[in-house]
Amino acid sequence: MSPSPVLPPPPVSVVGIGADGWSGLSGGAREALREAEVVIGGARQLDLLPPECAGVRVAWPSPLRPAVPRLLAEHRERRIAVLASGDPMFYGIGRALAEDLGPEALRVLPHPSSVSYACARLGWPLEDTEVVTLVGRPVARLAVSLHEGRRLLALSADASTPATVAALLTSHGFGPSRMRVLEQLGSEAEAYVEGVAESWAHAPGDRLNVIAIDCRASQDALRLGAVPGLPDEAYEHDGQLTKRHIRAATLGALAPAPGELLWDVGGGSGSIAIEWMRTHPTCRAVSVERDPARAERIVRNADRLGVPGLKVVTGPAPSSLSELSELSELDVPDAVFIGGGLTAPGLLDACWEALRPGGRLVANTVTLESEALLAERYRECGGELTRLAVAHAVPVGGFTGWRQAMPVTQWSVRKPSASAPVPGDRT
């Protein structure tokens, strides 16, 4: 007799549930919860289920993410339902489940998200509304989305988030912005309060809230555009700053794309790494700076300009580059920028070696010694060697003349996709 085939475990039902609880669920979602032998979810979500959902109820522990594989494995041979807030695939548990089990092992039953409810209440087109989640993330990341006339929805971490958002808006020159806090969306307890950021005085309300922001800048707010080349005065610095026009040209050569990782070697004030990350929410960067005071300044600049996720490694290059590989969340860089220390023995070779095949390397210098080094590597490896010169109009007595800034020599090169020699390796 041939052995019976091994059947795959039943799919995991991922059920979105709103503040309206059981009454707001579809027939299919209710059936999945009734049939489940194990229901996993947050304690608040589990309390929304009626007694007819007879499966064993398991509350997520904290921290949640590391516990997901263990709990799923523990109950994998049983019918599992996982509760999620709103749409499970929109900043929800659905992502973690798909990563661990694969999408084919899931049956996702979404509920309208808090964002859909908020746009419905406000009359805002969903496709024109930017969403920033502050759940488990620094409120500073909201800063990159602040532009005159924009409509934002911020997903709150708790009841204190609206006051924190109001303070951030005010400190960034967006104090006149209108704020509306929408609570318990979709439930019978739905409510909202509104006001202006710079005079926000509402006490903390319900922890389940979404913040709607009509961005309005004050007259003296510093204008920060959506493309590289922010004003120099946007940065705290001690003179070690890639100036605005050179910075824009450098980011153009680095050519950031969504999801890519940059190593910024010789960070100075962090401007290149910061503006790399501002190009897209999924762009990542790590800045290497040997001076501790400057490293701390990079952190402050990143926080102020809306990219608090910038990693900073304090130490000299190239020796400190080995630390980057030890940061588990960072992989092989897609691009490397060298803004200082080019003449340090082994630096250029180490950066080239670390770069992924097909990645880009860009190096800037103002000294003759480093320029000679870049010219040599250009002859060996190709790429583009460019001299960037900028002059500014300044008063000259009663007239106006040009003041020339120090010219910058820039080498940009793409590492071949196939194996290629290290620049300078003549063996």
Side-chain angles (χ1 to χ4, degrees), residues 185-221:
L185 283 164
S187 77
E188 294 182 357
E190 185 175 311
Y192 84 96
V193 295
E194 68 173 295
V196 175
E198 60 194 1
S199 58
W200 189 260
H202 293 287
D206 195 277
R207 62 180 300 273
L208 292 179
N209 70 83
V210 176
I211 308 167
I213 306 167
D214 288 285
C215 293
R216 293 291 179 268
S218 60
Q219 291 186 350
D220 58 350

mmCIF file of all heavy atoms in Angstrom, residues 185-221:
data_model
loop_
_atom_site.group_PDB
_atom_site.id
_atom_site.type_symbol
_atom_site.label_atom_id
_atom_site.label_comp_id
_atom_site.label_asym_id
_atom_site.label_seq_id
_atom_site.Cartn_x
_atom_site.Cartn_y
_atom_site.Cartn_z
ATOM 1 N N LEU A 185 -12.205 55.588 14.220
ATOM 2 C CA LEU A 185 -12.870 55.660 12.925
ATOM 3 C C LEU A 185 -13.635 54.365 12.625
ATOM 4 O O LEU A 185 -13.110 53.265 12.762
ATOM 5 C CB LEU A 185 -11.838 55.922 11.826
ATOM 6 C CG LEU A 185 -11.343 57.376 11.742
ATOM 7 C CD1 LEU A 185 -10.071 57.467 10.931
ATOM 8 C CD2 LEU A 185 -12.427 58.262 11.145
ATOM 9 N N GLY A 186 -14.880 54.518 12.220
ATOM 10 C CA GLY A 186 -15.716 53.386 11.869
ATOM 11 C C GLY A 186 -16.544 52.832 13.001
ATOM 12 O O GLY A 186 -17.393 51.967 12.777
ATOM 13 N N SER A 187 -16.309 53.307 14.223
ATOM 14 C CA SER A 187 -17.066 52.798 15.364
ATOM 15 C C SER A 187 -18.153 53.793 15.769
ATOM 16 O O SER A 187 -18.206 54.926 15.282
ATOM 17 C CB SER A 187 -16.145 52.547 16.558
ATOM 18 O OG SER A 187 -15.807 53.770 17.188
ATOM 19 N N GLU A 188 -18.998 53.370 16.710
ATOM 20 C CA GLU A 188 -20.029 54.275 17.208
ATOM 21 C C GLU A 188 -19.440 55.397 18.055
ATOM 22 O O GLU A 188 -20.089 56.424 18.270
ATOM 23 C CB GLU A 188 -21.052 53.483 18.034
ATOM 24 C CG GLU A 188 -21.863 52.490 17.207
ATOM 25 C CD GLU A 188 -22.888 51.760 18.049
ATOM 26 O OE1 GLU A 188 -22.921 51.986 19.282
ATOM 27 O OE2 GLU A 188 -23.663 50.963 17.471
ATOM 28 N N ALA A 189 -18.207 55.202 18.526
ATOM 29 C CA ALA A 189 -17.548 56.220 19.356
ATOM 30 C C ALA A 189 -16.699 57.178 18.528
ATOM 31 O O ALA A 189 -15.912 57.945 19.079
ATOM 32 C CB ALA A 189 -16.676 55.533 20.410
ATOM 33 N N GLU A 190 -16.877 57.145 17.219
ATOM 34 C CA GLU A 190 -16.068 57.998 16.335
ATOM 35 C C GLU A 190 -16.212 59.470 16.726
ATOM 36 O O GLU A 190 -17.311 59.953 16.994
ATOM 37 C CB GLU A 190 -16.504 57.780 14.891
ATOM 38 C CG GLU A 190 -15.667 58.517 13.868
ATOM 39 C CD GLU A 190 -16.074 58.169 12.440
ATOM 40 O OE1 GLU A 190 -16.185 56.951 12.136
ATOM 41 O OE2 GLU A 190 -16.283 59.100 11.648
ATOM 42 N N ALA A 191 -15.064 60.183 16.750
ATOM 43 C CA ALA A 191 -15.064 61.604 17.117
ATOM 44 C C ALA A 191 -13.834 62.266 16.524
ATOM 45 O O ALA A 191 -12.907 61.587 16.053
ATOM 46 C CB ALA A 191 -15.061 61.762 18.642
ATOM 47 N N TYR A 192 -13.838 63.598 16.519
ATOM 48 C CA TYR A 192 -12.634 64.291 16.073
ATOM 49 C C TYR A 192 -12.527 65.639 16.758
ATOM 50 O O TYR A 192 -13.514 66.216 17.223
ATOM 51 C CB TYR A 192 -12.605 64.435 14.549
ATOM 52 C CG TYR A 192 -13.375 65.616 13.989
ATOM 53 C CD1 TYR A 192 -12.728 66.814 13.701
ATOM 54 C CD2 TYR A 192 -14.740 65.516 13.722
ATOM 55 C CE1 TYR A 192 -13.422 67.886 13.170
ATOM 56 C CE2 TYR A 192 -15.441 66.575 13.191
ATOM 57 C CZ TYR A 192 -14.773 67.768 12.915
ATOM 58 O OH TYR A 192 -15.463 68.837 12.391
ATOM 59 N N VAL A 193 -11.284 66.111 16.847
ATOM 60 C CA VAL A 193 -10.998 67.460 17.325
ATOM 61 C C VAL A 193 -10.106 68.130 16.293
ATOM 62 O O VAL A 193 -9.413 67.466 15.521
ATOM 63 C CB VAL A 193 -10.302 67.454 18.709
ATOM 64 C CG1 VAL A 193 -11.222 66.888 19.772
ATOM 65 C CG2 VAL A 193 -8.997 66.669 18.663
ATOM 66 N N GLU A 194 -10.121 69.441 16.275
ATOM 67 C CA GLU A 194 -9.282 70.148 15.308
ATOM 68 C C GLU A 194 -8.709 71.408 15.922
ATOM 69 O O GLU A 194 -9.150 71.893 16.972
ATOM 70 C CB GLU A 194 -10.074 70.483 14.048
ATOM 71 C CG GLU A 194 -11.176 71.515 14.213
ATOM 72 C CD GLU A 194 -11.770 71.882 12.855
ATOM 73 O OE1 GLU A 194 -11.031 72.469 12.031
ATOM 74 O OE2 GLU A 194 -12.949 71.570 12.623
ATOM 75 N N GLY A 195 -7.683 71.920 15.238
ATOM 76 C CA GLY A 195 -7.024 73.136 15.683
ATOM 77 C C GLY A 195 -5.859 73.463 14.771
ATOM 78 O O GLY A 195 -5.704 72.877 13.693
ATOM 79 N N VAL A 196 -5.041 74.413 15.216
ATOM 80 C CA VAL A 196 -3.863 74.838 14.475
ATOM 81 C C VAL A 196 -2.634 74.390 15.248
ATOM 82 O O VAL A 196 -2.601 74.460 16.485
ATOM 83 C CB VAL A 196 -3.871 76.366 14.277
ATOM 84 C CG1 VAL A 196 -2.592 76.848 13.606
ATOM 85 C CG2 VAL A 196 -5.082 76.772 13.438
ATOM 86 N N ALA A 197 -1.628 73.916 14.524
ATOM 87 C CA ALA A 197 -0.471 73.290 15.168
ATOM 88 C C ALA A 197 0.180 74.193 16.210
ATOM 89 O O ALA A 197 0.486 73.761 17.326
ATOM 90 C CB ALA A 197 0.560 72.887 14.108
ATOM 91 N N GLU A 198 0.413 75.464 15.873
ATOM 92 C CA GLU A 198 1.170 76.343 16.757
ATOM 93 C C GLU A 198 0.403 76.725 18.029
ATOM 94 O O GLU A 198 0.996 77.200 18.991
ATOM 95 C CB GLU A 198 1.596 77.601 16.004
ATOM 96 C CG GLU A 198 0.452 78.417 15.448
ATOM 97 C CD GLU A 198 0.924 79.449 14.439
ATOM 98 O OE1 GLU A 198 2.149 79.490 14.170
ATOM 99 O OE2 GLU A 198 0.072 80.208 13.913
ATOM 100 N N SER A 199 -0.905 76.472 18.030
ATOM 101 C CA SER A 199 -1.700 76.770 19.231
ATOM 102 C C SER A 199 -2.450 75.528 19.722
ATOM 103 O O SER A 199 -3.477 75.653 20.391
ATOM 104 C CB SER A 199 -2.697 77.897 18.934
ATOM 105 O OG SER A 199 -3.562 77.566 17.859
ATOM 106 N N TRP A 200 -1.922 74.353 19.405
ATOM 107 C CA TRP A 200 -2.605 73.109 19.776
ATOM 108 C C TRP A 200 -2.662 72.978 21.299
ATOM 109 O O TRP A 200 -1.647 72.999 21.978
ATOM 110 C CB TRP A 200 -1.855 71.916 19.185
ATOM 111 C CG TRP A 200 -2.592 70.620 19.322
ATOM 112 C CD1 TRP A 200 -2.390 69.650 20.242
ATOM 113 C CD2 TRP A 200 -3.659 70.162 18.483
ATOM 114 N NE1 TRP A 200 -3.253 68.604 20.045
ATOM 115 C CE2 TRP A 200 -4.053 68.889 18.978
ATOM 116 C CE3 TRP A 200 -4.324 70.693 17.385
ATOM 117 C CZ2 TRP A 200 -5.073 68.140 18.390
ATOM 118 C CZ3 TRP A 200 -5.347 69.959 16.803
ATOM 119 C CH2 TRP A 200 -5.706 68.694 17.301
ATOM 120 N N ALA A 201 -3.873 72.822 21.820
ATOM 121 C CA ALA A 201 -4.038 72.773 23.272
ATOM 122 C C ALA A 201 -4.936 71.632 23.719
ATOM 123 O O ALA A 201 -5.308 71.556 24.893
ATOM 124 C CB ALA A 201 -4.610 74.100 23.766
ATOM 125 N N HIS A 202 -5.285 70.728 22.805
ATOM 126 C CA HIS A 202 -6.183 69.625 23.156
ATOM 127 C C HIS A 202 -5.460 68.606 24.040
ATOM 128 O O HIS A 202 -4.307 68.256 23.801
ATOM 129 C CB HIS A 202 -6.706 68.929 21.905
ATOM 130 C CG HIS A 202 -7.616 69.782 21.074
ATOM 131 N ND1 HIS A 202 -8.905 70.084 21.454
ATOM 132 C CD2 HIS A 202 -7.411 70.413 19.883
ATOM 133 C CE1 HIS A 202 -9.467 70.849 20.528
ATOM 134 N NE2 HIS A 202 -8.579 71.064 19.567
ATOM 135 N N ALA A 203 -6.169 68.124 25.029
ATOM 136 C CA ALA A 203 -5.627 67.059 25.865
ATOM 137 C C ALA A 203 -5.613 65.761 25.075
ATOM 138 O O ALA A 203 -6.385 65.599 24.119
ATOM 139 C CB ALA A 203 -6.484 66.898 27.122
ATOM 140 N N PRO A 204 -4.744 64.820 25.437
ATOM 141 C CA PRO A 204 -4.723 63.525 24.748
ATOM 142 C C PRO A 204 -6.093 62.864 24.796
ATOM 143 O O PRO A 204 -6.772 62.862 25.824
ATOM 144 C CB PRO A 204 -3.681 62.719 25.532
ATOM 145 C CG PRO A 204 -2.790 63.753 26.139
ATOM 146 C CD PRO A 204 -3.686 64.910 26.463
ATOM 147 N N GLY A 205 -6.506 62.301 23.636
ATOM 148 C CA GLY A 205 -7.798 61.640 23.553
ATOM 149 C C GLY A 205 -7.636 60.140 23.439
ATOM 150 O O GLY A 205 -6.889 59.525 24.203
ATOM 151 N N ASP A 206 -8.303 59.556 22.456
ATOM 152 C CA ASP A 206 -8.249 58.108 22.276
ATOM 153 C C ASP A 206 -6.934 57.715 21.609
ATOM 154 O O ASP A 206 -6.428 58.432 20.730
ATOM 155 C CB ASP A 206 -9.431 57.653 21.422
ATOM 156 C CG ASP A 206 -9.650 56.155 21.485
ATOM 157 O OD1 ASP A 206 -8.956 55.425 20.738
ATOM 158 O OD2 ASP A 206 -10.482 55.711 22.287
ATOM 159 N N ARG A 207 -6.399 56.562 22.000
ATOM 160 C CA ARG A 207 -5.124 56.126 21.423
ATOM 161 C C ARG A 207 -5.264 55.692 19.970
ATOM 162 O O ARG A 207 -4.287 55.703 19.218
ATOM 163 C CB ARG A 207 -4.535 54.973 22.235
ATOM 164 C CG ARG A 207 -5.372 53.708 22.276
ATOM 165 C CD ARG A 207 -4.695 52.628 23.108
ATOM 166 N NE ARG A 207 -3.407 52.280 22.557
ATOM 167 C CZ ARG A 207 -3.230 51.354 21.598
ATOM 168 N NH1 ARG A 207 -4.279 50.724 21.086
ATOM 169 N NH2 ARG A 207 -2.027 51.073 21.160
ATOM 170 N N LEU A 208 -6.494 55.305 19.543
ATOM 171 C CA LEU A 208 -6.727 54.937 18.151
ATOM 172 C C LEU A 208 -7.113 56.192 17.377
ATOM 173 O O LEU A 208 -8.268 56.603 17.354
ATOM 174 C CB LEU A 208 -7.839 53.894 18.042
ATOM 175 C CG LEU A 208 -7.542 52.507 18.596
ATOM 176 C CD1 LEU A 208 -8.749 51.605 18.439
ATOM 177 C CD2 LEU A 208 -6.326 51.894 17.912
ATOM 178 N N ASN A 209 -6.111 56.824 16.776
ATOM 179 C CA ASN A 209 -6.408 58.064 16.062
ATOM 180 C C ASN A 209 -5.518 58.230 14.843
ATOM 181 O O ASN A 209 -4.429 57.655 14.748
ATOM 182 C CB ASN A 209 -6.264 59.275 16.993
ATOM 183 C CG ASN A 209 -4.839 59.565 17.384
ATOM 184 O OD1 ASN A 209 -4.100 60.214 16.650
ATOM 185 N ND2 ASN A 209 -4.421 59.066 18.555
ATOM 186 N N VAL A 210 -6.007 59.009 13.912
ATOM 187 C CA VAL A 210 -5.282 59.395 12.700
ATOM 188 C C VAL A 210 -5.261 60.913 12.656
ATOM 189 O O VAL A 210 -6.275 61.565 12.945
ATOM 190 C CB VAL A 210 -5.974 58.833 11.436
ATOM 191 C CG1 VAL A 210 -5.274 59.326 10.176
ATOM 192 C CG2 VAL A 210 -5.990 57.315 11.461
ATOM 193 N N ILE A 211 -4.109 61.479 12.299
ATOM 194 C CA ILE A 211 -3.966 62.935 12.274
ATOM 195 C C ILE A 211 -3.977 63.417 10.827
ATOM 196 O O ILE A 211 -3.142 63.006 10.015
ATOM 197 C CB ILE A 211 -2.652 63.373 12.945
ATOM 198 C CG1 ILE A 211 -2.522 62.759 14.334
ATOM 199 C CG2 ILE A 211 -2.564 64.895 13.016
ATOM 200 C CD1 ILE A 211 -1.135 62.895 14.923
ATOM 201 N N ALA A 212 -4.932 64.281 10.497
ATOM 202 C CA ALA A 212 -5.006 64.893 9.172
ATOM 203 C C ALA A 212 -4.351 66.270 9.243
ATOM 204 O O ALA A 212 -4.674 67.083 10.118
ATOM 205 C CB ALA A 212 -6.458 65.018 8.729
ATOM 206 N N ILE A 213 -3.424 66.540 8.322
ATOM 207 C CA ILE A 213 -2.655 67.782 8.344
ATOM 208 C C ILE A 213 -2.799 68.494 7.009
ATOM 209 O O ILE A 213 -2.472 67.935 5.954
ATOM 210 C CB ILE A 213 -1.156 67.507 8.619
ATOM 211 C CG1 ILE A 213 -0.986 66.682 9.901
ATOM 212 C CG2 ILE A 213 -0.375 68.810 8.694
ATOM 213 C CD1 ILE A 213 0.415 66.110 10.063
ATOM 214 N N ASP A 214 -3.310 69.724 7.039
ATOM 215 C CA ASP A 214 -3.267 70.625 5.884
ATOM 216 C C ASP A 214 -2.031 71.493 6.047
ATOM 217 O O ASP A 214 -2.009 72.411 6.886
ATOM 218 C CB ASP A 214 -4.511 71.512 5.835
ATOM 219 C CG ASP A 214 -5.759 70.756 5.431
ATOM 220 O OD1 ASP A 214 -5.876 70.451 4.240
ATOM 221 O OD2 ASP A 214 -6.589 70.472 6.311
ATOM 222 N N CYS A 215 -0.984 71.217 5.286
ATOM 223 C CA CYS A 215 0.305 71.886 5.489
ATOM 224 C C CYS A 215 0.245 73.354 5.061
ATOM 225 O O CYS A 215 -0.095 73.662 3.900
ATOM 226 C CB CYS A 215 1.401 71.173 4.703
ATOM 227 S SG CYS A 215 1.768 69.519 5.292
ATOM 228 N N ARG A 216 0.584 74.221 5.989
ATOM 229 C CA ARG A 216 0.687 75.652 5.714
ATOM 230 C C ARG A 216 1.973 76.158 6.352
ATOM 231 O O ARG A 216 2.180 76.016 7.559
ATOM 232 C CB ARG A 216 -0.511 76.422 6.292
ATOM 233 C CG ARG A 216 -1.831 76.102 5.627
ATOM 234 C CD ARG A 216 -1.878 76.633 4.196
ATOM 235 N NE ARG A 216 -3.143 76.298 3.544
ATOM 236 C CZ ARG A 216 -3.348 75.214 2.808
ATOM 237 N NH1 ARG A 216 -2.361 74.323 2.653
ATOM 238 N NH2 ARG A 216 -4.516 74.983 2.238
ATOM 239 N N ALA A 217 2.838 76.755 5.542
ATOM 240 C CA ALA A 217 4.122 77.246 6.034
ATOM 241 C C ALA A 217 3.992 78.684 6.505
ATOM 242 O O ALA A 217 3.224 79.477 5.945
ATOM 243 C CB ALA A 217 5.182 77.148 4.939
ATOM 244 N N SER A 218 4.749 79.024 7.544
ATOM 245 C CA SER A 218 4.806 80.424 7.985
ATOM 246 C C SER A 218 5.626 81.229 6.983
ATOM 247 O O SER A 218 6.351 80.680 6.157
ATOM 248 C CB SER A 218 5.430 80.502 9.376
ATOM 249 O OG SER A 218 6.743 79.979 9.361
ATOM 250 N N GLN A 219 5.504 82.547 7.044
ATOM 251 C CA GLN A 219 6.182 83.404 6.072
ATOM 252 C C GLN A 219 7.701 83.280 6.136
ATOM 253 O O GLN A 219 8.387 83.445 5.122
ATOM 254 C CB GLN A 219 5.761 84.860 6.282
ATOM 255 C CG GLN A 219 4.306 85.134 5.914
ATOM 256 C CD GLN A 219 3.965 86.616 6.004
ATOM 257 O OE1 GLN A 219 4.739 87.426 6.507
ATOM 258 N NE2 GLN A 219 2.784 86.972 5.510
ATOM 259 N N ASP A 220 8.234 82.989 7.306
ATOM 260 C CA ASP A 220 9.693 82.922 7.438
ATOM 261 C C ASP A 220 10.222 81.490 7.408
ATOM 262 O O ASP A 220 11.388 81.247 7.714
ATOM 263 C CB ASP A 220 10.132 83.598 8.740
ATOM 264 C CG ASP A 220 9.475 82.972 9.973
ATOM 265 O OD1 ASP A 220 8.544 82.162 9.798
ATOM 266 O OD2 ASP A 220 9.889 83.309 11.098
ATOM 267 N N ALA A 221 9.389 80.533 7.018
ATOM 268 C CA ALA A 221 9.831 79.142 6.964
ATOM 269 C C ALA A 221 10.843 78.961 5.838
ATOM 270 O O ALA A 221 10.684 79.503 4.734
ATOM 271 C CB ALA A 221 8.649 78.207 6.759
#
